[in-house]
Amino acid sequence: MMASLLAIFFCGLFSCVYSIHFPPTRSLAIRMSADPFRPSRPPLAPILINAIQDLLMLEQPTIDDARGVVRKTIVSRNVDPDYNMTAAEEKLVEGRMFAIAAAVGELSGLLEQVVESTPWIVKYGALADFGIGQLSDPYVRMCRAECLLAILMLHVEARPDGEVDFIDEDRLGPLRKAAPVAREKCTMAVRSCEDVPTYFESP
């Protein structure tokens, strides 16, 4: 009798300890699927900046060049099944790349005017930070891409400053104060491209 009671006691104790240290597989799967450190939708700015750099490597980028870069960008992004781009995201990337290709001269001209009208940029050796220099230099090219995207969003799309969160305030400040005439040239260059309106006019 005593042996039976002891056996029942130890069986119950073992079951309790096992359930604490080794929870069911289902509960583990549920916990692992919810990663609090991985954003539900990653930002588009990094892939746009990389794509713009590809365009800047071309002497005179065209809309067809932009189409090729967009296709490559979307394919690369969709390699990760968790981060497949939505139709709206693909349309936004395509539209912005077409806009950059259509107005790269005007956007670059505005950037140069901003640098010329901001003495501290030259004084403190910050030309490269604004993408002014040889585009064969990876750092200069990356900064130029960041600045062109920021100019497009601020002055052509008229996005709130808060959405231009991929660039630091030291650069955002001067870019925000671009001359009205230069801003208008950029807007007209983008609007004149027949491939852009469906993106540009979307809310």
Side-chain angles (χ1 to χ4, degrees):
M1 181 70 178
M2 182 61 70
S4 298
L5 289 174
L6 286 173
I8 293 171
F9 172 76
F10 281 113
C11 283
L13 181 62
F14 177 79
S15 297
C16 181
V17 171
Y18 184 88
S19 64
I20 292 173
H21 290 280
F22 303 98
T25 303
R26 178 175 172 79
S27 65
L28 277 176
I30 293 172
R31 292 177 189 175
M32 290 172 66
S33 65
D35 186 349
F37 298 104
R38 195 177 199 192
S40 57
R41 297 304 306 167
L44 293 178
I47 64 168
L48 273 165
I49 291 165
N50 287 337
I52 294 168
Q53 289 186 72
D54 288 345
L55 272 188
L56 292 176
M57 292 294 289
L58 305 173
E59 189 173 344
Q60 291 183 320
T62 65
I63 295 298
D64 285 339
D65 293 326
R67 282 195 180 94
V69 173
V70 167
R71 282 196 297 269
K72 184 179 76 171
T73 297
I74 292 173
V75 168
S76 297
R77 179 58 165 266
N78 289 346
V79 167
D80 186 342
D82 293 334
Y83 283 162
N84 283 348
M85 295 175 70
T86 65
E89 288 173 332
E90 289 184 8
K91 181 179 179 181
L92 183 59
V93 168
E94 181 181 74
R96 283 180 173 163
M97 290 302 297
F98 287 178
I100 294 286
V104 66
E106 289 77 10
L107 295 167
S108 297
L110 186 152
L111 177 60
E112 290 166 3
Q113 285 188 10
V114 165
V115 170
E116 289 173 4
S117 63
T118 312
W120 68 259
I121 295 175
V122 174
K123 180 178 179 179
Y124 294 107
L127 286 173
D129 297 332
F130 283 81
I132 304 298
Q134 295 295 323
L135 291 177
S136 56
D137 182 323
Y139 180 73
V140 171
R141 189 169 62 252
M142 179 189 71
C143 291
R144 173 75 69 93
E146 291 174 341
C147 289
L148 295 186
L149 180 58
I151 291 168
L152 177 73
M153 293 176 66
L154 287 171
H155 301 305
V156 178
E157 299 178 7
R159 299 277 181 175
D161 287 4
E163 291 190 25
V164 190
D165 57 1
F166 52 87
I167 199 167
D168 55 272
E169 182 60 34
D170 285 343
R171 291 182 294 168
L172 187 59
L175 294 177
R176 193 186 293 119
K177 299 173 184 177
V181 173
R183 296 202 304 263
E184 183 61 23
K185 285 182 179 179
C186 293
T187 301
M188 292 302 296
V190 172
R191 285 184 178 274
S192 67
C193 177
E194 61 184 16
D195 293 284
V196 175
T198 52
Y199 136 78
F200 184 74
E201 311 251 341
S202 61

